Amino acid sequence: MPPNEDFGWCSKHGVHNCVLDHPELAERKTLPSQEQLQEDQRQAQSSLAMGVRKENNSRCTLYQSRIQFASVESVRQAGVDIGLVERDRVIEAVSGNGEIVYDPTRKATIAARVPGSVWAVEKNIGDVVRQGELLALIDATAVGKIKSELLRALAEKALQAKNVARLKDARGAVAGARIIEAEAALAKARADVLNAEQAIRNLGLPIDADNLRGLSEDQAIDNLRLLGIPQTYLANIDELAASTNLLPVVAPISGTVVDRSVSLGEVVDPSMQLFEIADTSQMWLRLSLPLETIDQLSIGQQIRFSPDGSSRIIEGRLDWISTGADQHTRMIDVRAILDNQDGRLRDRTFGTGKVILRDANDAIVVPSEATHWEGCCNVVFVRDKDYFASPDSPKVFHVRSVRLGATYQGKTEVIAGVLPGEVIAVEGSDVLRAQLLKNGLGAGCCVEE
Ligand SMILES: [Zn+2]
Ligand SMILES: [Zn+2]
């Protein structure tokens, strides 16, 4: 049997006698179209660009080997069965464990700003709230005290202002020193008002002391009593019964109440979380991936997440990659933002996620068991195209070095080395590998580079 023409090593694709560049070497009756060949070369480029693919040894000569059987029957007896090089979808992905959580940038935990007891609880777990809506009222003596300090400071300021005005009217009759003294007292009273005002603001209450000016003391007290309690809620309160100590606790963001750890009458202090509100319209997916995958990741890649115990697939896009790995686990964290308008995603859902690196529809694939590592190259065994030409035609398998890509659902992508339509040994192909190595055909192979 005459040897095939020998084109040697293809440095572009990393195989010997490259059928992507010399399709006439393929063991098939017809040549692929030029368009198809170009498309396959493009696919090979994009697959090689994915990163480290196992290399073959350029100096290996095993590709020149052929393994000949006496008959079709002896092939059968050796347990060798064949399959086709095909096209199929190949998805290359990195996977890791992950968790769906509330978007922490859209989450708020709420505590009372001062100690007190719970006077009313207005919202419960699951309630949807708008920003500013009342969650609870706390009865806190500190609140009443600060309010009365403001009233006292306002009264003092009014008194001192009157005093200064009176002294100035009687300018000639009083010593300048007394005017200066009175002005100092007024300045102090003004400062006290500002201090009291700030203390009230620090409680989260909206206050503008200017609005209280000109009101009688009773009017000012009424005004201050229910300070910060939303207008819509006032109808529910018997205003006269309401204490001046009431501190409203309102929602700082719009969202859903996801936790409530407070009940009526309970004594609370600022260290206790009363409510948790989360905007659940979008959630975060956090995944941990092996550090070595970091070079393959980029923002925008698709993520598919399967929650434990569910057949559902949740999709999102990679939108953040941590810059450092965890010191102990050597894992990196990545994140996707998941849409949750329908509210189906739950906080703390564990599962497995995949970042899709590449999704090729028309990759060249072979059954994974057809590929073998012979010591320095990946090979497959390709049946001669004239195998059945006549009963006497040689029953030959050619050794072909192949550059392997992704493995997906039992099939292995061949970046270069075979073309669709070629027939290869699949089941029992390890018999051919054993034969190859037994015959010492590998001599000169496996040399150190
Ligand atoms: Zn090539
Ligand atoms: Zn080799």
Side-chain angles (χ1 to χ4, degrees):
M1 207 186 163
N4 281 332
E5 199 175 348
D6 191 347
F7 292 93
W9 178 248
C10 168
S11 56
K12 188 171 175 194
H13 299 117
V15 293
H16 310 86
N17 268 349
C18 179
V19 290
L20 282 184
D21 296 312
H22 306 284
E24 67 277 17
L25 294 177
E27 296 297 331
R28 30 181 273 176
K29 301 283 186 190
T30 56
L31 285 175
S33 73
Q34 204 55 40
E35 293 79 47
Q36 187 60 64
L37 212 54
Q38 279 168 4
E39 181 51 37
D40 286 338
Q41 287 172 353
R42 248 195 309 279
Q43 288 258 28
Q45 277 319 107
S46 80
S47 182
L48 287 171
M50 284 310 300
V52 189
R53 303 292 193 195
K54 196 153 191 176
E55 307 257 358
N56 295 322
N57 178 1
S58 63
R59 288 186 282 162
C60 179
T61 55
L62 274 191
Y63 72 96
Q64 295 163 341
S65 313
R66 299 189 285 206
I67 293 163
Q68 184 163 4
F69 286 84
S71 65
V72 172
E73 181 55 21
S74 59
V75 175
R76 200 188 58 76
Q77 276 174 357
V80 176
D81 208 350
I82 48 99
L84 270 181
V85 179
E86 291 176 305
R87 290 186 187 282
D88 207 344
R89 186 179 189 189
V90 164
I91 294 179
E92 204 162 349
V94 289
S95 18
N97 293 322
E99 185 185 10
I100 295 174
V101 293
Y102 294 128
D103 179 343
T105 65
R106 298 178 172 222
K107 197 178 85 170
T109 55
I110 297 119
R113 299 196 189 206
V114 287
S117 61
V118 178
W119 195 82
V121 178
E122 289 303 308
K123 295 294 174 189
N124 228 319
I125 292 177
D127 285 350
V128 174
V129 294
R130 276 168 293 104
Q131 185 179 17
E133 210 171 330
L134 187 70
L135 302 173
L137 289 168
I138 307 295
D139 187 330
T141 47
V143 173
K145 194 163 159 249
I146 291 171
K147 286 176 182 172
S148 55
E149 261 164 37
L150 175 65
L151 289 173
R152 190 199 54 75
L154 281 170
E156 178 69 13
K157 188 178 121 183
L159 183 72
Q160 293 302 338
K162 253 184 221 160
N163 193 28
V164 168
R166 188 175 53 80
L167 292 175
K168 279 186 175 167
D169 279 348
R171 198 183 321 254
V174 289
R178 279 193 63 200
I179 296 184
I180 291 168
E181 214 171 88
E183 276 176 340
L186 175 59
K188 182 182 177 300
R190 279 203 185 106
D192 287 349
V193 169
L194 290 178
N195 285 341
E197 225 181 332
Q198 189 56 48
I200 289 179
R201 277 201 203 100
N202 290 347
L203 294 174
L205 296 173
I207 179 78
D208 184 352
D210 286 347
N211 291 342
L212 300 175
R213 202 165 41 202
L215 298 181
S216 71
E217 193 178 336
D218 284 350
Q219 284 170 324
I221 288 171
D222 276 351
N223 202 298
L224 275 180
R225 189 201 307 279
L226 300 171
L227 189 66
I229 299 174
Q231 206 65 40
T232 48
Y233 187 77
L234 289 179
N236 304 336
I237 304 189
D238 180 350
E239 292 200 28
L240 292 175
S243 143
T244 186
N245 293 347
L246 292 187
L247 178 68
V249 176
V250 298
I253 59 167
S254 298
T256 304
V257 177
V258 294
D259 193 21
R260 191 203 90 173
S261 40
V262 65
S263 47
L264 206 58
E266 195 177 334
V267 175
V268 295
D269 67 62
S271 70
M272 295 164 66
Q273 174 186 312
L274 308 183
F275 294 92
E276 187 173 22
I277 295 175
D279 175 357
T280 58
S281 65
Q282 68 180 38
M283 306 279 277
W284 276 16
L285 171 63
R286 284 196 177 126
L287 282 185
S288 285
L289 301 175
L291 176 62
E292 60 270 20
T293 63
I294 195 163
D295 290 338
Q296 295 173 290
L297 302 175
S298 60
I299 302 299
Q301 281 168 336
Q302 196 188 37
I303 288 188
R304 295 182 196 149
F305 183 74
S306 322
D308 291 341
S310 157
S311 57
R312 198 176 161 208
I313 301 283
I314 297 156
E315 299 196 343
R317 298 239 164 236
L318 192 63
D319 97 315
W320 177 81
I321 302 167
S322 73
T323 48
D326 183 283
Q327 231 181 330
H328 303 291
T329 63
R330 305 303 293 154
M331 302 289 265
I332 48 165
D333 285 331
V334 301
R335 182 190 69 197
I337 290 175
L338 305 176
D339 181 77
N340 190 35
Q341 300 288 345
D342 62 4
R344 288 178 67 194
L345 303 181
R346 293 277 172 268
D347 185 44
R348 291 179 205 160
T349 302
F350 294 94
T352 314
K354 276 183 190 161
V355 179
I356 309 299
L357 304 175
R358 192 169 138 256
D359 186 345
N361 267 322
D362 278 325
I364 298 171
V365 297
V366 298
S368 293
E369 57 185 314
T371 68
H372 298 276
W373 179 252
E374 43 71 324
C376 68
C377 308
N378 277 306
V379 293
V380 298
F381 301 97
V382 184
R383 197 176 72 181
D384 191 84
K385 62 175 179 289
D386 294 323
Y387 193 86
F388 285 123
S390 77
D392 304 329
S393 51
K395 307 308 173 212
V396 162
F397 285 83
H398 301 268
V399 178
R400 192 79 67 68
S401 62
V402 285
R403 195 80 188 274
L404 300 182
T407 296
Y408 180 64
Q409 296 185 341
K411 294 181 180 171
T412 297
E413 176 192 19
V414 179
I415 299 169
V418 288
L419 289 180
E422 288 192 289
V423 178
I424 52 169
V426 180
E427 263 175 63
S429 54
D430 46 336
V431 171
L432 293 165
R433 177 181 183 271
Q435 192 66 31
L436 183 67
L437 300 179
K438 187 180 89 185
N439 289 354
L441 293 168
C445 187
C446 315
V447 284
E448 294 299 319
E449 289 284 330

